Amino acid sequence: MIKRKPFLCILLLILLFFTLSCTESEERESGRRPQVITTTNLIADMVKRVGGEFVQVRALISPGVDPHQYKASEADVIRITGADIIFHNGLKLEGKLEDVMRRAQNVIPSFPVSRDIPENLLLRSSNGDYDPHVWFDPKIWIYAVQTVADALVALDPDNTIYYRKNEEIYVEEILNMDKTARDKLAAVPQNRRILVTSHTSFAYFARSYGWSAIGIQGISTMGEVSVYSIHALAKELVGSNAKCIFTETTVSSRFIDALQASSVILGSGFIVGEALFSDSLGDEPENNTYTKMFLKNVDNIVACINEGGG
Ligand SMILES: [Zn+2]
């Protein structure tokens, strides 16, 4: 097997040296906008809202691609080394990118947007790791907006007023979105508020809105799940009020398909709802921003549960 990691590390070091030695100050002085690299498009959307016309933003991970399993390409390393600032989620969301991020942060300002979230607001999985899907509690995601704004202000203090104003507007938009989501989800009867997905990406969502969240794979998509445990989960759910289960746009549907097949064998038959956006935005106008993606999920969840009958 060919190991590409040493090559990436060497390439990164060479490019970092080159970047520091000759290009950064010259390009800054030419008046170009700060180049921002983010891992996920969720973070890119946030940086675009706060940075507006004064930054150029690019997400490494494309819509619909799973960040848990994403590996940096040579082109990604070149983009990272050309950046003025980097934002990533942290909390091990981008497990396979962490090594590259760690090396870059010695020479390029690099921020996990989860950095300022109070620890007591973070959820942990059964193995003790923090759940990285913090964007599914809008009130927590606001801490990330603040982190991004603080970082842009430090990078480009001349435009502080602009960044702070955008931060304020965006936080208000997120809070309005949260209220809309809360109202729609509250209309679902208490005993039907069960959200079953491929992996445990909706635990913050569930805590925030008073639902139960069940993910077949746990907080990462890296683990395998046995047919036996899926059948055992189907048995448990068939005896509950769960009627809908959901695939996710960044995750294979195979576990949800197996769960649905088990439920049919057990004489029930879950409805498989429209795929939810969990770890990535979509690329359509109705789902390509954080707030639109969030409300699209809410509508899909409520529609499926209504279809399943009360
Ligand atoms: Zn995930």
PDB file of all heavy atoms in Angstrom, residues 68 93 133 199 219 279, ligand 1:
ATOM      1  N   HIS A  68     -16.233  13.434   8.701  1.00  0.00           N
ATOM      2  CA  HIS A  68     -15.565  12.463   9.583  1.00  0.00           C
ATOM      3  C   HIS A  68     -14.518  11.658   8.809  1.00  0.00           C
ATOM      4  O   HIS A  68     -13.505  11.255   9.360  1.00  0.00           O
ATOM      5  CB  HIS A  68     -16.589  11.479  10.154  1.00  0.00           C
ATOM      6  CG  HIS A  68     -17.625  12.096  11.030  1.00  0.00           C
ATOM      7  ND1 HIS A  68     -17.373  12.507  12.318  1.00  0.00           N
ATOM      8  CD2 HIS A  68     -18.935  12.386  10.799  1.00  0.00           C
ATOM      9  CE1 HIS A  68     -18.485  13.000  12.852  1.00  0.00           C
ATOM     10  NE2 HIS A  68     -19.442  12.948  11.945  1.00  0.00           N
ATOM     11  N   LEU A  93     -14.334  16.448  14.747  1.00  0.00           N
ATOM     12  CA  LEU A  93     -15.245  16.254  13.605  1.00  0.00           C
ATOM     13  C   LEU A  93     -14.435  15.849  12.372  1.00  0.00           C
ATOM     14  O   LEU A  93     -14.805  14.916  11.663  1.00  0.00           O
ATOM     15  CB  LEU A  93     -16.024  17.543  13.287  1.00  0.00           C
ATOM     16  CG  LEU A  93     -16.924  17.422  12.058  1.00  0.00           C
ATOM     17  CD1 LEU A  93     -18.167  16.585  12.366  1.00  0.00           C
ATOM     18  CD2 LEU A  93     -17.341  18.787  11.518  1.00  0.00           C
ATOM     19  N   HIS A 133     -21.176  17.864  16.826  1.00  0.00           N
ATOM     20  CA  HIS A 133     -22.246  18.416  15.969  1.00  0.00           C
ATOM     21  C   HIS A 133     -22.933  19.612  16.633  1.00  0.00           C
ATOM     22  O   HIS A 133     -24.173  19.683  16.736  1.00  0.00           O
ATOM     23  CB  HIS A 133     -23.270  17.319  15.649  1.00  0.00           C
ATOM     24  CG  HIS A 133     -22.660  16.102  15.022  1.00  0.00           C
ATOM     25  ND1 HIS A 133     -22.160  15.051  15.773  1.00  0.00           N
ATOM     26  CD2 HIS A 133     -22.431  15.789  13.731  1.00  0.00           C
ATOM     27  CE1 HIS A 133     -21.671  14.131  14.947  1.00  0.00           C
ATOM     28  NE2 HIS A 133     -21.821  14.547  13.718  1.00  0.00           N
ATOM     29  N   HIS A 199     -26.280   8.290  11.889  1.00  0.00           N
ATOM     30  CA  HIS A 199     -25.324   8.426  12.982  1.00  0.00           C
ATOM     31  C   HIS A 199     -25.814   9.505  13.950  1.00  0.00           C
ATOM     32  O   HIS A 199     -26.758  10.241  13.648  1.00  0.00           O
ATOM     33  CB  HIS A 199     -23.897   8.683  12.480  1.00  0.00           C
ATOM     34  CG  HIS A 199     -23.553  10.106  12.108  1.00  0.00           C
ATOM     35  ND1 HIS A 199     -24.250  10.848  11.174  1.00  0.00           N
ATOM     36  CD2 HIS A 199     -22.552  10.911  12.544  1.00  0.00           C
ATOM     37  CE1 HIS A 199     -23.683  12.035  11.045  1.00  0.00           C
ATOM     38  NE2 HIS A 199     -22.665  12.115  11.875  1.00  0.00           N
ATOM     39  N   ILE A 219     -21.464   8.955  17.354  1.00  0.00           N
ATOM     40  CA  ILE A 219     -21.177  10.335  16.921  1.00  0.00           C
ATOM     41  C   ILE A 219     -20.223  10.430  15.734  1.00  0.00           C
ATOM     42  O   ILE A 219     -20.058  11.492  15.165  1.00  0.00           O
ATOM     43  CB  ILE A 219     -20.627  11.220  18.061  1.00  0.00           C
ATOM     44  CG1 ILE A 219     -19.310  10.679  18.589  1.00  0.00           C
ATOM     45  CG2 ILE A 219     -21.650  11.402  19.155  1.00  0.00           C
ATOM     46  CD1 ILE A 219     -18.599  11.656  19.509  1.00  0.00           C
ATOM     47  N   ASP A 279     -24.105  16.850   8.437  1.00  0.00           N
ATOM     48  CA  ASP A 279     -22.751  17.379   8.578  1.00  0.00           C
ATOM     49  C   ASP A 279     -22.323  18.247   7.404  1.00  0.00           C
ATOM     50  O   ASP A 279     -21.140  18.571   7.260  1.00  0.00           O
ATOM     51  CB  ASP A 279     -21.763  16.208   8.733  1.00  0.00           C
ATOM     52  CG  ASP A 279     -21.994  15.443  10.022  1.00  0.00           C
ATOM     53  OD1 ASP A 279     -22.944  15.776  10.748  1.00  0.00           O
ATOM     54  OD2 ASP A 279     -21.225  14.514  10.306  1.00  0.00           O
TER      55      ASP A 279
HETATM   56 ZN    ZN B   1     -21.296  13.649  12.014  1.00  0.00          ZN
END
